[in-house]
Amino acid sequence: MRPSPSPTPAWNPRPASVAAVGDSITRGFDACGLLTDCPEVSWATGSDTGVNSLALRLLGAPALASRSWNLARSGARVAELPEQMGLAARHRPGLVTVMVGANDACRPHAGLMTPVDEFRASFEAAMARLRKESPATQVYVASIPDLRRLWSQGRDHPVGQRVWRLGVCASMLADAQDLGTQARERRDRVRERVVAYNGVLREVCARDKRCRHDGGAVFSYPFDGTQLSPWDVFHPSRDGQGRLAEIAYRTVTAARPPA
């Protein structure tokens, strides 16, 4: 007799602990002050009640210190994700949140963006490491924001015009007022790379029965001026972090994953 197939593992909408990996968005960079992390307002694990992070909603305030871990690093690219996943796995978390890829597209110029095949290899390696070291952990994967939309929101903002000249996401934001053909084609190229990265995140996640992708919700979210940092008009503000938390909570607690 053939053995019965193993049942598909049930998704737990109320994991008992949360670890976060990724980049500056998850660290709350520029949300509270200039050029500084502010993990207390992180969408994933922050304690700020105004943001109402995913971990705060799932675990409650008393459990945050002992059952949530923010392992993201500002400036991280996807190549760092396997190491971060290894750190997360040590805690055997009920859920790991992933938001990574913006820095792979945000380079000094578009030619330095991470190739899509390298992006895929790094993300697959990160998931494989987690599965090897903490096989029961669930994963929530957020899509990368639409960087061209952020350019459109901030290009006429006086702070954006001043700060972006310092090199913030130069592949997209350099020469922000230039609407010529070359500048438009450069921005389109960066956006296309973000779309490709998001396709990788979705595809790799779909192969894992304990992984949920947001269905493109973060990429599609229409961030406005109040939801972007007043210090760089690019990273999420405290309010923007709250919107990311809402998307994550909706995805994690839904009866079914997004289509």
Side-chain angles (χ1 to χ4, degrees), residues 1-254:
M1 294 180 63
R2 293 181 179 179
S4 299
S6 300
T8 300
W11 179 267
N12 178 8
R14 291 286 174 179
S17 56
V18 177
V21 299
D23 55 29
S24 57
I25 296 178
T26 300
R27 293 296 300 174
F29 184 80
D30 266 6
C32 303
L34 177 62
L35 299 178
T36 184
D37 288 350
C38 189
E40 59 266 31
V41 302
S42 167
W43 66 272
T45 59
S47 58
D48 186 290
T49 56
V51 171
N52 200 12
S53 72
L54 176 64
L56 188 58
R57 297 174 195 229
L58 293 174
L59 311 178
L64 283 183
S66 61
R67 291 196 276 127
S68 68
W69 307 274
N70 192 322
L71 304 167
R73 186 186 69 82
S74 291
R77 301 201 293 272
V78 72
E80 188 177 316
L81 202 64
E83 179 183 356
Q84 290 188 10
M85 278 292 203
L87 295 174
R90 295 178 187 176
H91 298 284
R92 299 293 190 271
L95 178 74
V96 170
T97 70
V98 178
M99 182 177 283
V100 73
N103 290 317
D104 292 271
C106 283
R107 306 294 289 139
H109 59 79
L112 291 176
M113 293 187 295
T114 303
V116 176
D117 58 346
E118 292 183 13
F119 188 94
R120 180 184 297 275
S122 292
F123 186 52
E124 288 177 336
M127 291 295 292
R129 181 159 184 181
L130 179 69
R131 285 291 158 255
K132 179 180 179 181
E133 300 179 16
S134 187
T137 295
Q138 297 179 161
V139 183
Y140 162 73
V141 179
S143 51
I144 305 162
D146 186 344
L147 303 182
R148 192 174 67 185
R149 186 193 300 272
L150 300 183
W151 163 77
S152 179
Q153 281 292 330
R155 61 180 295 269
D156 293 323
H157 194 288
V159 172
Q161 291 180 8
R162 182 173 67 253
V163 174
W164 291 359
R165 294 192 188 101
L166 301 177
V168 178
C169 195
S171 57
M172 175 61 74
L173 305 181
D175 304 315
Q177 298 303 308
D178 187 350
L179 302 179
T181 300
Q182 288 187 339
R184 184 179 68 250
E185 290 176 347
R186 166 173 55 84
R187 296 186 194 109
D188 288 347
R189 182 182 173 191
V190 176
R191 187 179 190 273
E192 288 168 2
R193 187 61 58 91
V194 170
V195 169
Y197 292 162
N198 278 331
V200 168
L201 295 173
R202 183 194 292 259
E203 292 164 12
V204 175
C205 182
R207 298 201 300 263
D208 188 302
K209 295 176 180 179
R210 297 185 187 273
C211 185
R212 280 192 179 185
H213 183 266
D214 73 3
V218 172
F219 178 79
S220 300
Y221 189 79
F223 289 96
D224 62 29
T226 65
Q227 292 154 358
L228 297 176
S229 166
W231 289 279
D232 66 20
V233 200
F234 184 69
H235 287 87
S237 65
R238 182 172 176 267
D239 183 48
Q241 291 281 343
R243 305 292 78 76
L244 296 175
E246 289 175 1
I247 292 169
Y249 182 74
R250 185 168 64 243
T251 304
V252 170
T253 61

